[in-house]
Amino acid sequence: MAISAWREILARIFGNLPAQDNVTPEWLINPATKRRLKLDKLYTDLGIAVRFEGLTAKGQGRQSDWEAAEAEQRDAVVRRDWIDVRTASLDEVAAFLDRHPDVLVKPASGEGGAGISRVSRADIADVAQWRDQLIDDGCTLVEEIVQQHDEMDALYPGSVNTVRIATLLGELGEGIVYAFVRIGNGRVMDNVDAGGMAARVDLESGRINTVAADKQGHEYARHPLTDAAITGFQLPYFEEAKQMCLEAMRVVPQVRYVAWDVALTE
């Protein structure tokens, strides 16, 4: 949907309420870079802010300033090689593929694992055409394939089976709220919306203490494809994963609740 359409929607919802356009409030600061961030609309009386994230950049081969700020944040906490084909040169894209003969391609925004695919360098006949197609499709993030821990691979090797750890910065307390392990089931994604399953993890022991369930409500004590035991499975490096999330939650303290998806590696 075009930005003009979104502006029309906002006008219909909020009518003639006073609003500021294209503002950079003093209080909206990226704590990692100390840069002030920009808002497209700010309804001061209502306390509502709007940012058309990435819309101005879609299909134009460049990032919005908001996405650029997010990229700076990712560099500090994301521990894998990645590239955005909108801003990378053709030589940089080719060099990335030389380093990583198999890559994961993702949309710049989205949810539920939609639009994610695994691509082999051997299947790319023309890098320039492939790059242009990714930009047209909005799938501009290209990442190295994460090699998960052998024990996580034994659960299901077709996807990186991540641990979702939720953190909360509250007025009365802070810490980890819950943890789930997400397991793929026939696809490259572990998202429940993409056919995967999830099971609760005990916060003290790091052990799966329930059966896994998919979106349709099917329950699994063992994985249907690998026959690996799910209930009772001990996650490797769970304490380290918890500590990493507790540190990451302070990077942008204005965001009080975050569900982190953590890949457990060797």
Short mmCIF file of all heavy atoms in Angstrom, two decimals, residues 10 152 178 227:
data_model
loop_
_atom_site.label_atom_id
_atom_site.label_comp_id
_atom_site.label_asym_id
_atom_site.label_seq_id
_atom_site.Cartn_x
_atom_site.Cartn_y
_atom_site.Cartn_z
N LEU A 10 -5.09 7.48 8.06
CA LEU A 10 -4.88 8.20 9.31
C LEU A 10 -5.79 9.42 9.39
O LEU A 10 -6.33 9.74 10.45
CB LEU A 10 -3.41 8.63 9.42
CG LEU A 10 -2.40 7.51 9.65
CD1 LEU A 10 -0.98 8.06 9.61
CD2 LEU A 10 -2.65 6.82 10.98
N MET A 152 20.80 -29.71 18.85
CA MET A 152 19.61 -29.08 18.27
C MET A 152 19.36 -29.65 16.88
O MET A 152 18.20 -29.81 16.46
CB MET A 152 19.78 -27.57 18.21
CG MET A 152 20.01 -26.89 19.56
SD MET A 152 18.65 -27.19 20.72
CE MET A 152 17.32 -26.28 19.93
N TYR A 178 9.19 -16.12 29.99
CA TYR A 178 8.98 -17.51 29.58
C TYR A 178 10.00 -17.87 28.51
O TYR A 178 10.70 -17.00 27.96
CB TYR A 178 7.56 -17.72 29.05
CG TYR A 178 7.25 -16.98 27.77
CD1 TYR A 178 7.67 -17.47 26.53
CD2 TYR A 178 6.52 -15.80 27.78
CE1 TYR A 178 7.40 -16.80 25.35
CE2 TYR A 178 6.24 -15.11 26.61
CZ TYR A 178 6.67 -15.62 25.39
OH TYR A 178 6.41 -14.94 24.23
N ASP A 227 12.10 -38.75 14.85
CA ASP A 227 11.84 -39.61 16.00
C ASP A 227 12.66 -39.22 17.22
O ASP A 227 12.78 -39.98 18.18
CB ASP A 227 12.11 -41.09 15.66
CG ASP A 227 11.45 -42.02 16.67
OD1 ASP A 227 10.31 -41.75 17.10
OD2 ASP A 227 12.10 -43.01 17.07
#
